[in-house]
Amino acid sequence: CVKRRSIVCVCVWRMASSSASSSAPPPSLVRYDPPVLVSEAQKKKAPIRKGAKSGSLPPVEGKGGVAQTEDILNAILPPREWEEAGQKWMQSVSSTPATRLDVINLQEYLDQQLMRRNARETGICPIREELYGQCFDELIRQVTINCAERGFLLLRVRDEMRMTIDAYRTLYESAVAFGMRKALQAEQGKSELERKVAQLDAEKEEL
């Protein structure tokens, strides 16, 4: 686990070079703590809510301080886990409040990633959708640290937005499939009509 503050700042926007590998998760706009090695003893001692849904978020009241904030963040943005060289690593979202400079750096890093990954400026672009989704998750993380209720509300907005996009995507795919079927049917009907025209022309010549 990296302890120096300067290295932690680097891990804010990029994975630490020591943990980067083919099996490690890609860099994200979401601010994460440095990756730590997970053992079975650590799991039993301090279990993490992985994959928790918005319907099972921990109560806002009941705990206090950093522990409650970390539980809420882990429920909203589950920790990332991966295996590397036979060892299991885990990386949780950071519970450090964001400053004005962090927000400016986030905006600059978003623009850099959009350019580096050649994201389209208009139209449908999975790369642009992914990057803006990460940026929105980072904003949810920043807001949740200061006000958990506001973070929960933003989480609902995010989930509703994703469901709406998925619904439009399903409609688009269905429309494309319907159009392809109609086009094939039209081609088949055209060939049938051409054969019938040729047959009628032959009968006309015989007469």
Side-chain angles (χ1 to χ4, degrees):
C1 181
V2 184
K3 294 183 179 180
R4 292 188 179 179
R5 184 178 181 84
S6 58
I7 302 181
V8 171
C9 292
V10 174
C11 292
V12 166
W13 311 115
R14 299 173 178 85
M15 294 286 294
S17 58
S18 59
S19 63
S21 69
S22 58
S23 59
S28 174
L29 295 176
V30 181
R31 183 172 186 173
Y32 284 91
D33 288 331
V36 295
L37 186 63
V38 180
S39 64
E40 293 298 330
Q42 288 177 329
K43 278 190 171 182
K44 294 179 181 179
K45 183 178 179 181
I48 299 296
R49 296 184 180 90
K50 181 182 177 182
K53 297 181 180 180
S54 58
S56 60
L57 292 173
V60 177
E61 314 228 343
K63 287 186 181 180
V66 180
Q68 178 192 3
T69 302
E70 291 179 352
D71 287 344
I72 295 174
L73 289 175
N74 288 333
I76 295 177
L77 302 171
R80 305 192 295 185
E81 293 186 3
W82 71 94
E83 291 187 3
E84 180 181 353
Q87 294 178 328
K88 195 167 186 178
W89 295 83
M90 182 180 67
Q91 193 175 33
S92 302
V93 290
S94 175
S95 59
T96 304
T99 62
R100 181 175 178 273
L101 181 60
D102 291 333
V103 179
I104 296 175
N105 290 336
L106 174 63
Q107 181 179 357
E108 293 178 353
Y109 188 50
L110 172 63
D111 295 336
Q112 292 174 5
Q113 288 295 96
L114 289 172
M115 293 182 61
R116 187 181 68 83
R117 299 180 61 179
N118 297 323
R120 295 181 180 179
E121 295 183 359
T122 58
I124 299 175
C125 179
I127 296 176
R128 191 178 76 247
E129 179 183 358
E130 175 189 355
L131 292 175
Y132 274 97
Q134 293 178 5
C135 183
F136 193 64
D137 287 343
E138 169 60 16
L139 293 177
I140 292 177
R141 184 198 70 83
Q142 296 177 8
V143 171
T144 303
I145 295 174
N146 296 327
C147 179
E149 293 84 354
R150 194 178 294 128
F152 291 156
L153 185 57
L154 284 177
L155 178 65
R156 290 182 58 186
V157 173
R158 184 199 70 178
D159 292 342
E160 179 64 28
M161 178 180 63
R162 289 180 177 178
M163 287 191 297
T164 303
I165 293 176
D166 290 340
Y168 280 122
R169 183 181 290 111
T170 302
L171 289 174
Y172 171 77
E173 293 173 354
S174 300
V176 170
F178 179 78
M180 291 294 294
R181 287 197 302 269
K182 286 299 182 181
L184 291 175
Q185 292 175 1
E187 287 294 329
Q188 294 174 357
K190 181 180 179 181
S191 301
E192 194 73 28
L193 289 175
E194 288 177 350
R195 284 197 300 269
K196 187 173 290 187
V197 168
Q199 182 181 359
L200 292 175
D201 288 341
E203 292 178 358
K204 184 182 71 174
E205 291 295 331
E206 291 178 359
L207 296 175

